[in-house]
Amino acid sequence: MRYGRKGKTLVNHLVFVGPAFIFFALIVAIPFVMGMIYSFTSWNGVSGEVQWVGFENFKKIFTSDKQFFASFWFTIRFTVAAVLLSNVIGFILALLLTGPIKTRNMLRTAFFLPNVIGGLILGFVWQFIFVKGFPSIGEATGIGFFKLPWLGDASTAFWGLVIVFVWQIGGYLMVIYVAALQNIDDSLLEAARIDGANRMQILFRMILPLVVPAFTVCLFLTLSWAFKVFDLNLALTNGGPYGSTESVAINIYQEAFQYNRYGLGTAKAFLFFLIIALVTTAQVYFTKKREVEY
């Protein structure tokens, strides 16, 4: 059987795109639509009785669910701190490891390795470090930093989560920034040096504007990861002490699967999705406007 050009194109699309589209529909699209529908219902997630309640779940969130807004405020503070620190540290590591260092490839691998470890495992490892390791070092050295109640106090638990998050993804961001720095034409930097520019002027006037596309990608990734932090938060603090480090993702998980209020949980998830979509879209829009070509 002979196919025309359009027929061959259709067959190629079905062969190469069709399986991916089917899996995307089954795993992402259909559950997303079902979640939107369930957000307007009262369902415990188990029984076959689903009661349509309209906007009651959303009204309850905005009128009487104080813990959701406490979790949201924690997530905002965590996101701001984690995004800023992880990008700054990732960029500094990239600057250092694009220089003439003999062991730079080995160092890049070492800094990237934490990203390979799963969030749950990483959380349990750092929980042991904070609870057992740091106090032992504090007793041996007398340094107050290691004697802090890292997971027992709201403020130190917050920064403990930030430290572990930055430690995990800093190396991943470093790889992206390294690729961007290596893509800069050396002749541009050499011309700036000949014209008398110092290191700080080259960094802020030349390098930073040229790696804005990498900042766009890294800010997008870190914003979405920090907003949706779950496994690391669950393993390290489980929202404690007394719910002070409970992220929105954990709040949604507890609402749907522990308290068996699946309709209310999906309503929270839908609101959370809209907020993340708006924030990341705005971030990409504004950073794209600052990108330069050379």
Side-chain angles (χ1 to χ4, degrees), residues 6-53:
K6 291 184 178 180
K8 289 182 179 179
T9 303
L10 180 60
V11 171
N12 289 335
H13 288 173
L14 290 175
V15 170
F16 291 103
V17 182
F21 177 78
I22 292 172
F23 280 108
F24 176 81
L26 291 174
I27 297 172
V28 179
I30 295 176
F32 177 76
V33 173
M34 292 178 65
M36 289 179 59
I37 296 172
Y38 283 125
S39 67
F40 297 98
T41 65
S42 177
W43 183 43
N44 61 9
V46 179
S47 68
E49 297 180 3
V50 180
Q51 182 183 0
W52 184 267
V53 295

Side-chain angles (χ1 to χ4, degrees), residues 55-64:
F55 290 95
E56 287 300 319
N57 289 327
F58 297 96
K59 290 180 182 178
K60 186 174 181 180
I61 292 171
F62 287 105
T63 57
S64 60

